[in-house]
Amino acid sequence: MKLQRYDAASSSDLKQLRLPLCARLCAVVALIAVTTNLALAQDSSPVISPDPQIAAALRQISVARIQSTIEKLVSFQTRSTLSAQDPASIASGHGIGAAREWIKSEFERYSHDCGGCLEVKLDSFTEAPGSRIPKPTEITNVYAVMKGTDQESAKRIVLVTGHYDSRNSDNLNITDLAPGANDDGSGTAVSLECARVLSQLKFPATVIFLTVAGEEQGLNGGRHFAQTAKAAGWNIEAALNNDIVGGDRSPQQDPSVVRVFSEGVPIAATDAEVRQIRSLGGENDSTSRQLARYIAEVGGTYDASVKPMLIFRLDRYLRGGDHSSFNEQGYAAVRFTEFREDYNHQHQNVRTENGIEFGDLPKFVNFDYVANVARLNAATLASLASAPAPPVKVRLLTTKLENDSTLTWEPSPGGRAASYEVLWRATTSLEWEHARGVGNVVRTTLPTSKDNVIFAVRAVDNQGHRSLAVTPLPER
Ligand SMILES: [Zn+2]
């Protein structure tokens, strides 16, 4: 009886054959199997093909290097954005100025090891006084640019960031310990370790390894960097913000997952765009959500020993982070954060009260976990930097009422796409469910109603590297 639900006509035809029940059932099962196989011949689950070079690079990510980076950052005693940055303090290894100089020297060392492949830069500016900045304060972001090897693709940028400033219980305190091992020594270590390992490879697109300051005073460094990038017309395809990825060793922690937060309706969307998003059900298809889905696929392709747990929300309650500054400029950006935060170990003076230890100390950090998160970041950066540019002007034709769906697009800029892939999913599904390779074309028609699913198109190169997916706009 159950089988009749699948295909009543076939089932009743089979009844007329007066075959034994078993034979009829077997025939129906075979029919379903054939139909399914036909579907599978064309469509598959979306998958990012593994690249042996990327897999080998991930094995170079070192727990010991991560640990020594975090311990070094903690050794500056405080990295409050308001703390000392005069030459004497830098020389004595105390305060944010000393941390800044050390990060710069690390990037320079990695660059030396790759024959000068990194351009190490400072982005300095003076922040005017505000509620958490009592006097004009110089804030400096430190970053390394690994320029892409392909002239056209080098204009595309993928970026990883963490904030190297820290704080204790009092955000204006600049003298007491503010170790910031997890918040955000861990994210800074991810950015540095990605730079150390990925600088041994070459990519067509540009990768930027960023560490920012001023996060605890009001996201000042990240905001300045994102605004400067936008003003300069930088094409940042993806910004990966790592903030609190230390995997705090509390018993309730789940070290097998890392949360990946992404905004829904883009904060940078215009009123007209928001109206369109609302009318088409595009609330789950911001570019940041496509980036989050891409990270989920990368997590399935490469064994980072930590799985991305997608959270479809900009950030946690009552909290903010540097990815939002990139979102404000219209860039796709997500935030990585450990599964469970221990608030005794963040933004706290180092102390013991009633037998409870407070403070953001290295002993609470799980360095293996940070290394796993670094692997997931590096795999995502390397996959995107290897991939062709996403197709542009992706459109879904809506000139007339029809049950087929026709998609058109313009080729992936840069000429590196060998073919294209159409993805789709049910409107109630959060991750792509189907993929169909359509060859090196700029138009395709699928026998699936656009009213019932969400489509996207992505570019594929001749080695199987996939671009970010682009959802279509309707075109009449
Ligand atoms: Zn933080």
Side-chain angles (χ1 to χ4, degrees), residues 73-89:
L73 290 167
V74 170
S75 79
F76 300 113
Q77 298 162 65
T78 176
R79 305 188 306 281
S80 163
T81 297
L82 309 175
S83 67
Q85 39 183 320
D86 58 285
S89 301

Side-chain angles (χ1 to χ4, degrees), residues 80-147:
S80 163
T81 297
L82 309 175
S83 67
Q85 39 183 320
D86 58 285
S89 301
I90 291 171
S92 70
H94 178 263
I96 192 159
R100 175 191 75 208
E101 292 305 311
W102 178 77
I103 292 168
K104 181 167 169 278
S105 70
E106 278 296 282
F107 280 139
E108 285 165 347
R109 191 162 66 84
Y110 307 155
S111 187
H112 182 263
D113 291 346
C114 65
C117 77
L118 300 176
E119 196 182 345
V120 182
K121 298 180 118 174
L122 299 180
D123 167 34
S124 290
F125 62 101
T126 302
E127 188 69 49
S131 61
R132 286 184 273 177
I133 298 188
K135 58 179 185 187
T137 300
E138 184 172 294
I139 295 179
T140 302
N141 303 318
V142 189
Y143 64 107
V145 180
M146 182 163 68
K147 198 157 186 277

Side-chain angles (χ1 to χ4, degrees), residues 163 183-184 215-216 243-244 335:
H163 71 86
D183 187 10
D184 184 29
E215 198 274 350
E216 303 290 7
D243 195 351
I244 312 178
R335 175 194 184 121

